[in-house]
Amino acid sequence: VQGVSCLGRCDRAPVCVVHRHGEGAFHDHVYAGRTSEELHAIVREIVSGDAPEPADADVVHLPHSNSDDWRIDPYASYPPPIISGEKGLLGSKADFSLAEAATGGSYLAVREYLKAHPAPIRGKDPKEHPWLCRLDPAGLLGMGGAGVPAYRKWLDVWQAAGDEKYIVCNGDESEPGTFKDREILLRMPHLVVEGVILAGLMTNATAGYIYIRHEYGEQIAAIRREIERAKELRACGPNIFGSGRAFPVEVFVSPGGYICGEQSALLEAMEDRRSQPRNRPPELSTNGLRDKPTVVNNVETLAWAPAILLRHNPDTKNSWYAGAGKPGFRGRRLLSISGDLERPGVYEIPIGTTLGELIELAGGVSDGRPLGAVAPSGPSGGLLPALLPVATGWEDRLAKKPEEASNEQWEIVTRTVREGITRGGGRFDIRSLPLDLHVFRLIGPALGLRVGLMLGAGLAVYAEGTNYLEQVVNFTEFFRNESCGKCVPCRLGSQKLVELGTAFRNGRIDLETVRADVFDLAYTLGLTSICGLGVVAPNPLATALDLFVDAR
């Protein structure tokens, strides 16, 4: 009996995996949400030689969600929307019958693209590529954390020189607390495969790969089945829908490790090398997989592409996707939320939905307890208390819009800060935070915080009374254990952070000393780490030591 890597089932913890040597894959028997007594019984059966009871398969577990409101799948209801105003787009209803839908009509976006552009589009000017330009007004961002616009990545690779290019779908999803890609891969594999094909055709790439963490056995099987179905439909392979264009797609199973979620380390693994981040530049858009131009996108980013490209309406100022956000925001996204909640699960929300609204969507804090803290980006974003401290002079800071913020964004920040401080009685109530990558990042400086606020795809909620220091020391140990060791600052700095957190937890160091040391390390790691792991490793301790009134 020993610890195991993250299994990606945070919505039904605790989770364990049972394995018999020589029998199946290691992650074939996953048991989730079981009591101690149930787990003891399962182990006793196996030790006695009996066959264990059936595993808790993902396919039969329907997570809590608001799936009736999901818009990510344009094929969820038939026939799909018919948009007028652009010649050739979707055509008539006769082009897509209910019978065709039943036999695999889920590659309509690929068919419509090839109908409009049967030959590869060459050039540098985006205006020469109208379908690619549909992504720009949509405002689709990378859903893996960094938030780089998908349009920018696709455009860079389309413009890159060379006849050999690649599309890589990042399905590693190793950030603890994040499991929304698990559901997309398992229940909507056609969107992922079609998104990869679309990206390949539109950028003139030569092959596509869907990189999936090895703990997701059912998801790997689902994607492989879907690729075979796409081949039968002639949606991918040597001659897509008789166009003469070829684009093969295959699955690559991750060898394991948190660092494999970093896009350049992922490519190193695909090239049969140790999974370590690359020094950059050069960028992946010119020197990616096999040193060729490569798009690396998150599962969800690619899964949104079919709906966005099909529903784009040139007769309106904003694309369908951009107009689906809350007022002042653009788009929708899926978020995983777990922890002390009545309904932990996966929810699709309009961007701009507040943290408080998402928590209520997930049933509120379990047993009616008060909200204590939230990890807004798994361990990477650290912990935020329910009420954030506000440094003096916040009114003056709101009067000075930073250069990186648009007028619209800063107006939202100003309104949010005022409402949050009023709601928190002088401190800022985090339930007022709008779930938007850019606005989220701007609010920390507006409040005068020394630590930045990060929004990821996985949020964890903690009820009041949780031992927060114990949590952040655990987070810090996680980063120490997952550091690849390539760069000295991260290799040594992550260990030093664990020592500092442990010493403070055990009362061997005072608050001011540990706070100064942690922020010194955070500054150094931010400047010198090769990848994001070293940058975020200090966040758990930094947030706990700086934002909680009673840090210990």
Side-chain angles (χ1 to χ4, degrees), residues 527-552:
L527 287 177
T528 58
S529 296
I530 292 175
C531 80
L533 189 153
V535 176
V536 302
N539 285 348
L541 280 175
T543 51
L545 296 172
D546 210 47
L547 303 180
F548 287 79
V549 175
D550 183 1
R552 187 176 279 115

Side-chain angles (χ1 to χ4, degrees), residues 496-535:
K496 182 63 176 177
L497 286 166
V498 170
E499 293 171 2
L500 287 167
T502 304
F504 181 67
R505 180 192 61 190
N506 296 340
R508 299 198 306 269
I509 188 173
D510 65 88
L511 177 60
E512 290 307 314
T513 300
V514 71
R515 185 181 284 163
D517 287 349
V518 166
F519 274 91
D520 279 348
L521 275 170
Y523 177 75
T524 302
L525 287 171
L527 287 177
T528 58
S529 296
I530 292 175
C531 80
L533 189 153
V535 176

Side-chain angles (χ1 to χ4, degrees), residues 340 369 372-373 383 461-471 548:
D340 295 328
R369 292 174 290 175
L383 276 184
V461 172
Y462 297 85
E464 193 175 89
T466 301
N467 186 328
Y468 306 119
L469 186 57
E470 193 67 42
Q471 290 294 312
F548 287 79

Side-chain angles (χ1 to χ4, degrees), residues 165-334:
K165 302 177 182 180
Y166 298 101
I167 307 297
V168 177
C169 173
N170 185 349
D172 194 66
E173 194 171 50
S174 293
E175 186 74 38
T178 308
F179 46 90
K180 50 94 178 176
D181 289 347
R182 179 195 75 195
E183 294 302 304
I184 297 173
L185 291 164
L186 182 64
R187 305 186 197 281
M188 295 175 281
H190 56 286
L191 297 183
V192 182
V193 175
E194 184 169 23
V196 171
I197 297 168
L198 284 167
L201 294 174
M202 291 167 65
T203 60
N204 302 326
T206 46
Y209 298 90
I210 302 175
Y211 183 106
I212 307 176
R213 58 184 298 185
H214 66 276
E215 294 92 351
Y216 281 175
E218 292 175 70
Q219 289 73 11
I220 292 166
I223 292 291
R224 283 177 169 159
R225 285 194 301 269
E226 183 59 31
I227 291 172
E228 291 305 310
R229 187 176 82 94
K231 289 178 181 177
E232 292 174 5
L233 294 170
R234 299 174 69 195
C236 72
N239 183 20
I240 301 176
F241 294 132
S243 65
R245 297 192 63 179
F247 188 76
V249 180
E250 64 181 86
V251 170
F252 186 96
V253 179
S254 167
Y258 176 78
I259 199 64
C260 291
E262 199 279 333
Q263 56 184 354
S264 64
L266 174 153
L267 298 182
E268 290 291 294
M270 292 181 68
E271 294 177 10
D272 201 25
R273 290 195 288 269
R274 185 172 179 173
S275 299
Q276 292 183 325
R278 296 177 181 176
N279 291 311
R280 294 158 60 190
E283 298 300 326
L284 304 185
S285 58
T286 55
N287 301 80
L289 181 64
R290 303 179 187 125
D291 207 32
K292 303 299 181 182
T294 303
V295 170
V296 181
N297 273 143
N298 175 257
V299 166
E300 186 187 350
T301 305
L302 290 162
W304 275 108
I308 289 171
L309 294 170
L310 281 173
R311 295 176 186 266
H312 172 78
N313 190 338
D315 296 334
T316 61
K317 184 178 180 180
N318 292 318
S319 77
W320 161 81
Y321 179 78
K326 292 274 189 174
F329 298 91
R330 304 167 77 190
R332 296 173 69 89
R333 68 175 301 180
L334 275 68

